[in-house]
């Protein structure tokens, strides 16, 4: 009987630890994504002196969009026109590519930046980060159920 009790206790402790680990990953996901995204895109901090028009545009859009906190602006060297936000609404990052600044008109830049700022205002960035954690966990759970 004690061995059965010990085995049952280990199973319960294992489940509790697994759930705690998943919860910790979910809570840390937005932070991890906020740290990983600039590295993946090769982005660097963009000083206001390099692109004062971009900073003016972002500040203007933040005031229009229900007073969003102005995100930190970073520049990626990609030639493709890309704008991405990461982080939380009060402490976000806006990553824009060199291609967005050089290949698009002012109106197209404004449209892309406005779309990304609206994502920062809504919890999209956090939901995307949670998806980064849930998808691999679901895949692992699926593999665990496949008989060997």
């Amino acid at each position: 009987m004690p061995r059965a009790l010990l085995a049952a206790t280990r199973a319960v402790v294992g489940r509790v630890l697994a759930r705690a680990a998943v919860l910790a990953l979910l809570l840390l996901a937005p932070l991890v994504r906020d740290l990983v995204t600039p590295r993946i895109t090769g982005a660097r901090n963009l000083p206001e002196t390099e692109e004062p028009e971009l900073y003016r545009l972002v500040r203007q859009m933040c005031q229009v969009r229900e007073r969003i906190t102005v995100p930190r602006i970073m520049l990626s060297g990609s030639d493709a026109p890309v704008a991405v936000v990461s982080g939380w609404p009060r402490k976000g990052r806006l990553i824009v590519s060199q291609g967005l600044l050089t290949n698009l008109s002012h109106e197209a830049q404004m449209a892309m930046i406005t779309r990304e700022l609206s994502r920062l205002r809504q919890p999209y960035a956090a939901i995307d980060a949670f998806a980064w954690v849930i998808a691999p966990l679901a895949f692992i759970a699926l593999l665990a159920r496949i008989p060997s």
Side-chain angles (χ1 to χ4, degrees), residues 22 25 132-146:
V22 168
L25 286 172
W132 278 34
V133 172
I134 291 172
L137 289 175
F139 182 69
I140 291 168
L142 179 66
L143 288 178
R145 294 181 185 268
I146 296 175

